[in-house]
Amino acid sequence: MNMLWQQVKMELKLFIRERQTVFWTFFFPAFLIIIFGYVFNQPESIRFTIGFVDEDTSVESHRIYGELSRVNALFVEPLMRFEAEDLLRRNEIGSVVYIKEGYADSLKQGRAQIHLLYHPAQQQLNDLVRLMLDKIVLAENSAYLDTQLPITLTQQKIEADRGAVSFLDFLVPGLIGFSLMSTCLFSIGVVVVAYREKGKLRRLAVTPLPKWKFIAGQILARYVIVLAQATMLIGMAVFLFDV
């Protein structure tokens, strides 16, 4: 056991002395958790910009603008018609909600229209905006009906509990699994090949060190490394992002 322990200590020392290997094993995955955690783990940080052209400038058209502005995922930018079309052609903006002049008057007559302009490359964004508009139009139509609707749709906001799945709940296990694979599988193979190329295996063959202890030392040394690595990653995820 003393011989095996000395083999493990030797492998750990060789690992620590390789600064590049230490960086890719510990600092790089920690860097990924911090970057992805702060950027993508905050839903309010991801917002899509859409344009809003209001040629009617009425209370009714402004109400549509206000409802769209309440959507957390959207940033609604008021634009002129020529500005909106220019931005759409250059694909600098994905969708534009366009309300023509006379919207308020036509609304009372039951033939109002809201136009949605979009760039072909922004189909997913357009689908999101269309979904929001459908909800707003449904509410507007209901307000102009004289009769009581037979079915009432209610909404209730449910706060996310501790067990809710977040982006980091997928990222952290993935990083740990990737680290296990690269550190345990590839690094041992690379080390053995490097030992062979440098003639170290030939020298070890004339020592009292059995081959199984050499392999066991490699495995145990990597096991200690990945335990420390997984502990670090899980600790960062728990304390920094409440995973």
Side-chain angles (χ1 to χ4, degrees):
M1 290 305 296
N2 182 59
M3 186 180 296
L4 178 61
W5 172 239
Q6 294 302 323
Q7 171 71 12
V8 174
K9 286 176 60 178
M10 181 193 73
E11 294 296 337
L12 290 175
K13 288 181 180 179
L14 289 174
F15 172 81
I16 294 173
R17 290 171 183 172
E18 291 286 341
R19 296 181 179 179
Q20 185 176 359
T21 305
V22 173
F23 171 80
W24 288 108
T25 302
F26 289 99
F27 293 98
F28 183 69
F31 174 76
L32 288 181
I33 282 188
I34 292 175
I35 291 297
F36 284 114
Y38 281 111
V39 173
F40 294 108
N41 207 44
Q42 302 173 9
E44 65 273 12
S45 64
I46 304 176
R47 302 184 72 187
F48 302 98
T49 300
I50 67 170
F52 189 88
V53 178
D54 184 7
E55 294 182 347
D56 192 55
T57 62
S58 61
V59 175
E60 289 80 2
S61 61
H62 189 72
R63 188 161 58 239
I64 301 296
Y65 172 80
E67 292 294 331
L68 282 172
S69 301
R70 291 192 182 94
V71 181
N72 292 330
L74 298 179
F75 175 76
V76 185
E77 182 179 359
L79 297 170
M80 302 296 291
R81 174 67 186 267
F82 70 92
E83 292 177 324
E85 290 181 348
D86 182 57
L87 291 174
L88 277 175
R89 291 192 186 97
R90 290 184 287 159
N91 197 19
E92 294 186 11
I93 196 169
S95 295
V96 173
V97 178
Y98 175 42
I99 299 181
K100 293 183 177 181
E101 186 178 357
Y103 169 80
D105 295 333
S106 60
L107 184 63
K108 299 174 183 178
Q109 301 171 9
R111 49 186 178 86
Q113 289 184 342
I114 298 177
H115 302 275
L116 181 58
L117 313 177
Y118 67 97
H119 190 280
Q122 301 287 346
Q123 184 62 50
Q124 292 182 337
L125 174 59
N126 182 68
D127 291 341
L128 173 64
V129 178
R130 176 63 184 269
L131 183 64
M132 298 298 104
L133 275 177
D134 285 342
K135 182 180 177 182
I136 295 171
V137 168
L138 179 62
E140 288 290 310
N141 287 336
S142 301
Y144 282 86
L145 289 177
D146 297 329
T147 59
Q148 181 69 29
L149 291 176
I151 300 176
T152 302
L153 180 65
T154 60
Q155 294 186 100
Q156 181 180 0
K157 183 178 180 181
I158 306 297
E159 297 293 337
D161 58 13
R162 182 64 176 82
V165 177
S166 66
F167 178 81
L168 282 185
D169 290 323
F170 292 93
L171 177 68
V172 174
L175 282 177
I176 294 175
F178 175 77
S179 301
L180 287 170
M181 179 182 67
S182 59
T183 303
C184 293
L185 181 61
F186 295 120
S187 65
I188 293 179
V190 171
V191 167
V192 173
V193 171
Y195 277 15
R196 181 183 179 183
E197 291 177 347
K198 295 176 181 179
K200 292 183 179 180
L201 291 181
R202 191 174 300 167
R203 296 178 209 151
L204 287 172
V206 298
T207 67
L209 179 68
K211 295 179 180 178
W212 72 267
K213 288 189 178 179
F214 170 75
I215 297 298
Q218 294 281 341
I219 294 173
L220 290 176
R222 269 63 189 182
Y223 187 70
V224 171
I225 292 170
V226 296
L227 276 180
Q229 186 184 47
T231 302
M232 179 195 71
L233 295 178
I234 294 174
M236 290 179 60
V238 170
F239 290 105
L240 293 180
F241 304 107
D242 196 31
V243 170

